[in-house]
Every structure is written in structure tokens, then in C-alpha cells.
Amino acid sequence: MGKNWEEIAEKIIKKETAVVERNKGKIPYTAKNHVFDDRSDKKDICWWTNGFYGGTLWQLYNATKNDLFKDCAVELENKMDACFMDYNGMDHDAGFRWLPTSVANYRLFQEKESKNRALLAAANLAGRFNLNGNFIRAWNDWGDDRDTTGWAIIDCMMNLPLLYWASKELGDPRFKAIAVAHADTAMKNFIREDGSVRHIVGFDPATGEYDRDYGGQGYGEGSSWTRGQTWALYGFTLSYIHTGEKRYLETAIKVADRFAERIPENGLIPVDFDQPAEPAYIDSTAAAIASCGFIELAKVLGENKASGGSAASDGEALSKKYLAAAEKMLSALDELDCDYNPDHDELLTRCTAAYHDKDHEFPIIYGDYYYIEAIWKLTGRELFIW
Ligand code: GLY
């Protein structure tokens, strides 16, 4: 029998209603002993994940209209204003931070201040574009011996929707042009022949020439860090949605097909598809993000069938296949990795930031966010964020 996604959505609402009550004012990244930490102080306020709890609150608000979710989301968004005063705190993750917060608020309530914040963030993101190599610079230097001036990372595909949004909002093509140029560079330099995806590519920042790629947060050079695969899967799907360019749809399909054939029997996703069999580290954020990407791709392909013809029936078959892939991973998360206890702050329990980190398999806020987004997509509760 199929899963009862409605029942799961109701369990999430019950839990998150208790979670928001006892975490007012916090911006969590992880949970220790089932209690959220807080990244809202000065040294952590620019952390790249700080928008995800805001996004969680807006998704919950959209589903329940409970004002507490809204009030806490607005408070979090206001706190993040401190980032605009810290040049180094601003990086390419402007999309991850201001789409689930300010753009979400603006979409729901047309708040002028929220629009202003999101446009400032978009302008800063656009300012990271390297015209020599047609890519958006990922990070700022970390104060060690690594020069990251010419580095781009696949994760940035998820930040591009902030630029698509800004162009549409302002009626100004510049932001979208930068997003398209970056997406084309990513398509050419990050996607391997077999549909797997690199994490970091370094370019010569002065000539724009490809230099080399790096294993980044995955197992190593040439490997397939699963969250990176998901940023590409969902990111190219979104670039197709925002531009209608078929090449992005084809790229999303190529990545999705490779990912789908590597989903393990039990539906739980490893940190890297090419990691050794032991230790069998899991990253549930990858399962949750991939599920969102698969569902959105299935939707797009399902809608295309309206045009008829054999390509359309291919689209229909792919659409079913991708929805099944998402449902398999979400069922696995629900049964094997979800903590619905309202007394515990975290939802997903086995997330991993990077393969070579000291710690593995702990709660991470964007795992919770994307799990909720995926369940909301299946049950018609979603506020479209990206
Ligand atoms: N964007 C960084 C990560 O996925 O860990």
C-alpha cells in the first residue's frame, strides 16, 4: 500500500508547532541532545544555512496560518540584516539565505522591506560574477593558503533563482543574464559524461580558463558527493522552470537518471555514491533535496505531456520514474530516519555536512527544511520558495 503522505504532513505540523514554541528567537543549524543550537549571534549570523529555519517557518505558516510561525520567521529575517554590514559574510549563498526568508515574506505579504533585502542580496550575488570565465565566485578566501578567487561550486545552481526573481521583479534582464551565463558554465564544466557531478571547479580568474576540479565535500576527486548531485538535479530543473531553456531540462534529466540508478535498495542515501562500503555514512539531506528535485522534475515532465507525441509519452514515463524515486527516498526517511517526537527539535537525524568531517550523521536544519518541502509538494501545502 502507498504511503499516507497526509498523515505524515499532520505529524510534522504537530511536531513543528511544539518546536516553534520553545525555540523563539533562535536560528538553528543543528540539534544537540534534541535541542536546537542558535546561530543568531554576531559571529554566526552570516552562516550560509541561516535562511532554512526561516523557510521552515514560512512553509508551516503557509500550511497552518498560525501567526507564531510568521512572527518567528519575520524576527529571523530581521536578524539577518546584520549580514549586509559584513562584506566577507556575504557569499554566493545569498539565494539559500534570502529566498526562504525575504522572498518568501514578499511572496506572501508583498512586504516592501523584504523586497528591498532580497534585491540587495541579488545585487551582491550578481556582483560575484566573473566576466572572464562566466561563473559566479563561490566563497571568499578563508585566511588559509587556498586561493578561492576562481572557484565555482555546483551548489550555486540553487542560488540562481534569486537572480531570476530579481530580473522578473525589476523587469531588468541583467540578473537573469548572469544566472544563465553561470548555468551554462556549470553545464559544461561540472556535469560529467555519465551524468554525475563535480563539486568544485577552479578557473583562472583572470583568463577564465578551466584549471582543475576538487573533491570538495565528497569522498575525493572524481567522486560523486550526493548532495552536490542533488544541487545539480534540483538546480537545473529550476533553471529550466525559470527560463524555459530545454538544455537545462536535458541536463536535469541526465543527472536525475544517474542519481536514480544509484539509489540503494533501502532508500537511504550515502554521503558519496563512490565512498567505500565501510563506514557506510548516510546523508539524509541528500535524500530530502533529491526528492524535491525529482518531484519538481516529474511535475514539469508531466505537464509537458499535454503537447502530445512520442516525446511526450517519454516524458510521462520519466515523470512516473522520478516520482517513484522521490517516494522511495521519502518513505525511507519517514521509516528509518525521522524523529516525529514533539519534544525533540530535530526532524531528520542522520545528516552529514562533508565526507571528511570529524562528525557524521547528525541533525542539520536544511535536511528538515527540504523534507518538509518535499512532503508539502506531495500534499499541496507548499509555498514555492525557489
Ligand atoms: N552548500 C554547501 C553544502 O551543501 O554543504
Side-chain angles (χ1 to χ4, degrees):
M1 218 183 74
K3 274 266 159 197
N4 188 336
W5 303 114
E6 268 300 318
E7 208 174 87
I8 292 173
E10 290 301 331
K11 270 199 285 189
I12 292 173
I13 290 172
K14 182 160 180 242
K15 175 183 173 115
E16 296 302 323
T17 304
V19 170
V20 71
E21 275 288 351
R22 60 174 176 267
N23 284 288
K24 289 179 196 147
K26 281 193 191 174
I27 307 185
Y29 168 65
T30 187
K32 294 218 169 68
N33 302 320
H34 309 300
V35 176
F36 273 153
D37 68 346
D38 182 13
R39 300 236 164 180
S40 61
D41 63 20
K42 195 162 179 269
K43 80 176 169 22
D44 291 325
I45 193 63
C46 299
W47 181 233
W48 77 275
T49 69
N50 280 357
F52 286 107
Y53 189 55
T56 303
L57 296 168
W58 283 125
Q59 295 294 0
L60 266 297
Y61 174 77
N62 200 49
T64 63
K65 300 294 179 269
N66 172 346
D67 276 333
L68 183 56
F69 290 118
K70 176 183 174 190
D71 295 345
C72 291
V74 170
E75 186 181 350
L76 181 149
E77 181 188 343
N78 288 338
K79 282 187 179 174
M80 280 174 45
D81 282 357
C83 301
F84 292 117
M85 297 305 288
D86 179 358
Y87 175 78
N88 257 325
M90 298 292 289
D91 60 24
H92 78 129
D93 283 328
F96 281 131
R97 284 180 278 176
W98 282 280
L99 283 162
T101 52
S102 299
V103 175
N105 193 356
Y106 181 63
R107 285 196 211 278
L108 283 168
F109 297 106
Q110 293 77 50
E111 282 295 340
K112 264 172 67 184
E113 270 194 11
S114 298
K115 176 180 171 180
N116 185 53
R117 289 184 179 107
L119 288 174
L120 283 172
N124 188 273
L125 179 57
R128 302 185 70 81
F129 187 66
N130 182 317
L131 197 57
N132 302 320
N134 284 320
F135 64 88
I136 292 173
R137 178 178 177 177
W139 299 298
N140 305 314
D141 281 340
W142 292 304
D144 55 22
D145 58 356
R146 289 171 293 183
D147 178 359
T148 64
T149 318
W151 286 16
I153 69 174
I154 194 62
D155 322 31
C156 193
M157 289 304 302
M158 291 297 292
N159 291 315
L160 301 185
L162 183 64
L163 300 176
Y164 295 129
W165 171 84
S167 262
K168 205 164 165 203
E169 202 52 46
L170 296 174
D172 179 337
R174 291 175 301 152
F175 300 92
K176 180 178 171 188
I178 287 173
V180 166
H182 179 90
D184 286 342
T185 301
M187 212 170 66
K188 185 162 158 241
N189 294 284
F190 284 77
I191 313 299
R192 303 188 189 107
E193 206 41 58
D194 68 356
S196 67
V197 183
R198 303 182 169 105
H199 182 201
I200 301 173
V201 172
F203 299 91
D204 180 320
T207 65
E209 263 174 55
Y210 179 99
D211 175 22
R212 53 164 292 198
D213 62 280
Y214 301 81
Q217 286 162 253
Y219 178 62
E221 271 164 51
S223 76
S224 304
W225 175 48
T226 54
R227 196 162 60 253
Q229 316 304 297
T230 74
W231 294 141
L233 195 176
Y234 198 6
F236 278 103
T237 302
L238 290 165
S239 270
Y240 172 67
I241 290 171
H242 290 296
T243 66
E245 294 294 346
K246 275 273 158 48
R247 62 187 183 279
Y248 300 146
L249 179 62
E250 284 156 12
T251 304
I253 289 173
K254 189 171 171 178
V255 174
D257 282 344
R258 183 66 181 139
F259 193 102
E261 68 193 21
R262 302 180 93 180
I263 298 173
E265 201 46 54
N266 69 2
L268 291 178
I269 301 300
V271 178
D272 193 310
F273 282 129
D274 300 309
Q275 72 190 31
E278 291 297 334
Y281 296 136
I282 294 297
D283 179 18
S284 289
T285 73
I289 301 159
S291 298
C292 291
F294 275 122
I295 296 169
E296 216 51 54
L297 189 53
K299 211 187 294 170
V300 160
L301 290 161
E303 281 159 9
N304 280 356
K305 78 173 183 263
S307 57
S310 67
S313 48
D314 285 355
E316 208 174 332
L318 279 180
S319 179
K320 283 199 181 118
K321 171 176 142 179
Y322 295 153
L323 194 57
E327 291 190 351
K328 178 173 178 150
M329 289 184 285
L330 292 171
S331 295
L333 291 180
D334 170 55
E335 285 159 29
L336 305 171
D337 197 22
C338 248
D339 183 341
Y340 294 110
N341 183 343
D343 296 330
H344 296 174
D345 288 344
E346 73 278 19
L347 195 47
L348 300 188
T349 62
R350 296 166 70 188
C351 306
T352 300
Y355 183 88
H356 293 288
D357 280 358
K358 189 164 61 59
D359 298 323
H360 303 85
E361 301 189 353
F362 56 92
I364 301 184
I365 195 67
Y366 48 88
D368 291 10
Y369 172 78
Y370 283 105
Y371 181 64
I372 293 171
E373 184 184 300
I375 300 297
W376 268 212
K377 283 183 197 295
L378 292 178
T379 58
R381 291 174 165 83
E382 185 191 14
L383 168 69
F384 189 76
I385 294 267
W386 310 105

